[in-house]
Amino acid sequence: MYRLGIDLGGTKIECAILEPNGRVLARQRVPTEAEKGVTHILGNIKEIIDKVTSWVTTGFSIGIAMFCGSILYLALGNKDISIATETMLQGLYHKYTLLAIPLFILAADIMNIGSIADRLLRFSEALVGRFRGGLGHVNVVSSLIFSGMSGSAIADAVGMGKIIIHMMTKNGKYPISYAAAITAATATIGPIIPPSIPMVMYALVSDASIGYLFAAGILPGLLMAFCMGVTNAIVARRRGFPVEPPTPIRELPKITWNAFPALMLPVILLGGIYGGVMTPTEAAAVAAFYALVISIFLYRSVSFKDFFGALTKSSKSTAAIGMLIAGALAFNYVLTREDVPDTVALWLSQFDLTPKTFLFFVIILMTGLGCVLEAGPILLVIVPIFVPAALAVGVDIIHLGIVVVVNAMIGLITPPVGMLLFIVANITKAKMADIIRDVIP
């Protein structure tokens, strides 16, 4: 006589057919409600993922692909597409913090066209250029200072990177691949030290405080800069990189005075934000205005033509980011309508994850996604799925933001899609394989 056995094991239910002697003939686990929900959600979302992927591979931008895929998914499901469009428009026009993105981009572009970057590099060279591998240290310090002004890794690599790469490769002092690799690596400090454009994006999807995110990024950014400096020192000693002539002590006051107005920008921004004088968005406007004033009236290094070029460049960058945000808002509406974040939170709750275990899982996931996705899609599309789950397991939303942003920046120097790797490769014309080999440390 065969028997049917049912095992109620916590949140799991198993059914089995047993022989008279107790041997199991067949066993089947009954999915829980959370697992059924996840399976249902994944099946529904698979359609939109397939459409977005196909459009991206045929040349569509990610933002347009996400928007069109979301609208098509809703239309094919006989659902109201007007709400998705309204949600996108409301998100773009009523999110005051989004204004910080174009203003920080403009500030970075103004600093790149003027002599601010040159003065900061000269100041950094006077500080740390006297040590072995000194120009590598200059690269780290200048990126650390510049990060307190721009908030963009790409702006750092394109602006400051061009100058420092030329300095490092002049007369064959450093291998061109190493100059490109350390420039790409140090550029990742930019969005960690406040101000930070990726943190503004994270705040948009998580409702976290931008001020708290900026404050939480200071220590990790400093630790990253310190570790990069130590690594450069070790590599310089092993590979016999040159020692630059030390800057005479009598020239230090003049060099510092020339760079002083530029060095005051991070002080004004952070002091204004944490002193309660201005919001992060207002600080972005102050950064752009201050950079313009000192470049035109004090340093006299920016012409009207240069300024117009900076406006044009920043407008194009803002439009690209705006399309990405618009597509992400429509995509996130679909995720919310299908109850994806809450379902994922319910599913993860079965595993009794501790906050540390959850963060470890997030780090592994973000590192893997960073190999194939840019930072923007990760922050705007993937992160909203895990925010409710993070809150459910007791992870602080600010802590999660720093972990996500740091890993997204690591993705910028991780092949095959590392954006910074392609930027420095285009600047230096070095082989990608050589750059990847030197960026690994």
Side-chain angles (χ1 to χ4, degrees), residues 215-418:
I218 295 176
L219 182 58
L222 293 175
L223 287 175
M224 287 177 63
F226 174 76
C227 292
M228 289 180 186
V230 171
T231 303
N232 176 70
I234 295 173
V235 173
R237 187 168 296 276
R238 287 180 178 177
R239 300 176 65 171
F241 290 158
V243 178
E244 301 298 319
T247 301
I249 299 297
R250 64 178 180 274
E251 294 184 12
L252 284 177
K254 181 181 179 181
I255 295 173
T256 304
W257 177 253
N258 288 335
F260 182 76
L263 294 172
M264 285 300 295
L265 181 53
V267 177
I268 294 173
L269 292 182
L270 299 182
I273 292 173
Y274 299 113
V277 178
M278 61 184 100
T279 65
T281 305
E282 293 166 345
V286 170
F289 179 74
Y290 183 83
L292 181 62
V293 168
I294 63 175
S295 296
I296 292 179
F297 298 105
L298 188 59
Y299 294 153
R300 298 183 179 181
S301 57
V302 174
S303 64
F304 178 80
K305 182 179 179 180
D306 294 333
F307 178 58
F308 182 79
L311 286 176
T312 303
K313 183 180 178 182
S314 60
S315 299
K316 292 179 180 178
S317 300
T318 301
I321 295 176
M323 284 303 304
L324 177 61
I325 293 174
L329 289 171
F331 187 81
N332 288 339
Y333 168 76
V334 174
L335 296 181
T336 304
R337 184 185 179 92
E338 295 292 342
D339 204 26
V340 174
D342 292 335
T343 304
V344 171
L346 178 62
W347 177 64
L348 289 176
S349 66
Q350 297 180 104
F351 301 101
D352 297 325
L353 296 177
T354 64
K356 291 181 180 179
T357 307
F358 180 83
L359 287 175
F360 179 76
F361 167 75
V362 169
I363 290 172
I364 297 299
L365 177 64
M366 293 299 149
T367 303
L369 290 175
C371 295
V372 294
L373 288 176
E374 297 178 17
I378 292 176
L379 293 170
L380 295 173
V381 178
I382 306 299
V383 170
I385 300 176
F386 292 97
V387 169
L391 295 174
V393 300
V395 174
D396 184 82
I397 203 70
I398 303 299
H399 189 182
L400 176 67
I402 299 302
V403 170
V404 167
V405 171
V406 169
N407 279 273
M409 293 306 103
I410 293 175
L412 291 177
I413 56 173
T414 304
V417 188

Side-chain angles (χ1 to χ4, degrees), residues 47-73 76:
E47 299 177 37
I48 185 173
I49 296 295
D50 290 341
K51 293 179 178 63
V52 169
T53 303
S54 64
W55 281 334
V56 169
T57 55
T58 55
F60 273 68
S61 72
I62 296 178
I64 296 176
M66 285 192 297
F67 176 75
C68 295
S70 301
I71 296 300
L72 183 59
Y73 172 80
L76 293 177

